[in-house]
Every structure is written in C-alpha cells, then in structure tokens.
Amino acid sequence: MIQINENYKKLKASYLFSDIAKRIGKFSEENPSAQIIKLGIGDVTRALPRTCIEAFHKAVDEMSADNSFHGYGPEQGYSFLREKIAEMDFKSRGTGITADEIFVSDGSKCDTGNFQELFAQDLKIGVPDPVYPVYVDTNVMAGRTGEWKDGRYQGLYYLDSIEENNFVPDLPSEKLDLIYLCFPNNPTGSVATKTQLKAWVDYALKNKALILFDAAYVAFIRDNSIPQSIYEIEGADKVAIEFRSFSKTAGFTGTRCAYTVVPKNCQVYSSNGNIESLHSMWNRRHCTKFNGVSYPVQRAAEAVYSAQGQVEVKELTDYYLKNAKYILEKMQSFGFKCTGGDNSPYIWINGQRDSWEFFDMLLSKAQVVCTPGSGFGKCGEGYIRISAFNSYEKVVEAMERIAKAI
Ligand code: PLP
C-alpha cells in the first residue's frame, strides 16, 4: 500500500492566494463590468530590461548552432554569472563572499523551501509572524511541527513582528537553532538596521544557530545606512545563508533566476558536535537534485550587472518605488498607520478591522485587490498589504477609488 506523508494533512487546506482568487472570481461573476485593479499578489508587471532581453536573444541564437550550443551547464551556475554576482553584489559592499560560495538556481522560493532539508528533525525553528508562508509550510511538510492550533503550528517558535518593535522581531528568550529572517520584509515592508541585524548575528554566534536570510527585495533599498547583505555584519559568514533573486530586482518572476550564498566558513554541527561544512552539504544537495538554470537565462541575468543593465534595473525598481511612495502617502492621508513603502514595494497597513473584512470592502466598493494580512500569520490580523507592482496610472486610480470607498 502506498502511504502518504501524513505531514501534508497538517497544512492549512487552502493557500492564501487561491482564497483571494476565489473571492475575486465570485465578485467578477456577479459584477462582470467591474474593472478590478490588482495590488495583491507580489508579481511584477513591467517588461524585462532591454539589456537583459538583448543578452537573452543572443544566447538563444547561440543555442541554434552546434559550435555555440550549450547542453547541461554547471549545476552551481556558470562562472560568468557567479563572478559578476560576487564582484557587484558582495565585494562592492565590502564583504568577502567569493564566486564559489554562490549557487545559482531557478528561484528563491525553491531555495528557501529546500534549504531546511539539510537539518535535523528536532530543531527549534524561529519564523517571523507575519511571514512569507514558504518557510513555514516546508517545515510542516518535513514533519518539524505539530498540528495547526489557534492560527499557529505547534512546535514552531513565532517571532512577532508588530508595531511595538517596528516589525523587526526581538531576540527570543529561547535558544533557537534555525532562524528565518527577511529584509526588506515581505509582507510588512520593514527594513532592519545594521544594529538590529548585528544583534541577530551575535545571537546566532552565541547559540550556534543558523540564520536563513531572505533578501529577495534588496534592490528596493535606497537608504544607504541599511545593510544590503547580512554579510556586511561581522561574523555573519559563520552563521548565515543569504537568498537573493532576480525576480523583483529585474522582473525575472516569469524568467526564473536566483541565487543562494553559502559561505565556506558557515558552521553547522553533526549530532556528536563535530563541525560540518554546510557549503559541501548544499553543493551535494544542489548537484543531486538540480540541473542548472538554462544558459540563456543566466546570460540575461548576467546582463543585469553591465553598466547599462544597472541603469535599467534601477529605473525599473525606481518606478515601483514611486508607486509605493504614492500609496504610502495616500493611505497615511486617509488616517491609516502604515509601514514599508520606502525601501520596499510593499505597504503594510493597519486597517483597524478584520483583514478579510477590509479586503472585501476594498474589493466591493473600490474594485481594488489587496492581500489580507491575516494570511501571513496571526500578527497580520487587522492589517492588509498593498503592493506597488502595477502601473502608476492604475495605482493613482486605485487610490482615488479607495478615497471614495472609505
Ligand atoms: N522570498 C520572498 C520573501 C518572496 O516574497 C518571494 C516572492 O514573492 C520569493 C522569495 C520568491 O522569489 P523567486 O521568484 O525567486 O522564487
């Protein structure tokens, strides 16, 4: 008899975005002429930068001739891309990350979800609340949690990200082994200062813990005092992994390219306390289960680092940041307490009412779709997330409609 992994039964039946899609579907059916503006799901709306497209086309053409064709590439990524990443994303920030510590992949969703495979079952795991759901669900699937009770999984340690701590979780009183952090944050849009990140790194060093640092939104940081990489903090290379993605940086959500940094210095332990190499373990895992990102996509990603590519990705993220600023200012002028929206494409809004009630009100009265904060965790109740990923014109119209609706 083929038996299932019973842990899957613990997963909450429906995924946040399918709930949202159902409500939109029902509303559209009942109001077929409604012009809905979507500021919900965090998918980009603007085309790939010109320079990336040109590199992409050129690489596709190379695939059409035997003498320039590329078959399987290195699982870890082509060195032309890894070298550029090391130079431009890390060396330029004064960190010592090298190309062989970078693992190119087809997305940070997979990497943040897969990384937990390398660790023991009985870990104490800290996850922010609210949270990008992938960190939680993949640990549920792996059997590291108990049942879902009162809006949380038993056995996980939730790190409350609330107004009182500016949505940057406080250090836990317990000794955790694995900690997920994400800055600029999805969904709250908060950023962590150097002092706040240092406190986490010091905590991890002291407790022999590991931080999984998700920097998928790093390209939106404009405040120079905010660290762009956790490796800007001394000692972080011993206790932190960093996830980066071209999805939001350069509009690659449908093209798929990301990377994970696993420093060779990173220390993890076997059950007898011996130090093990996390770098070797991830390399082994990556080579066994992954066969590389396609050559044209890696060439397109490489183009992000050219002089013209840098100008274009800055223009792209500036565009969304302009939307974010507009949303932030408008929502504040309507009397809502908000965070995010300056170094982030997300605005986290205290709606002072049930998240889904606010969602339904915006959908029915303004035909604007947001994301209910409660879908990201218990601490998200009462909030909604509005995303800046849409055209400026649509954003302006959405804010006009919201003004009338409220
Ligand atoms: N990490 C966070 C915090 C995200 O919000 C997202 C996507 O929305 C991802 C990772 C996934 O990125 P990718 O498109 O590289 O899979």
Side-chain angles (χ1 to χ4, degrees), residues 287-308:
C287 295
T288 304
K289 296 195 177 182
F290 186 67
N291 235 349
V293 174
S294 79
Y295 172 75
V297 168
Q298 292 194 60
R299 280 294 185 198
E302 182 198 18
V304 165
Y305 297 100
S306 65
Q308 183 57 22

Side-chain angles (χ1 to χ4, degrees), residues 42 106-110 112 132 135 182 186 214 216-217 244-248 252-253 256-258 346 385:
D106 62 355
S108 284
K109 186 180 203 176
C110 324
T112 54
Y132 176 55
Y135 317 150
C182 172
N186 177 16
D214 187 343
Y217 297 93
R244 295 264 189 121
S245 171
F246 293 95
S247 284
K248 311 296 158 79
F252 273 55
T253 54
R256 312 304 303 145
C257 197
Y346 297 125
R385 185 192 76 178

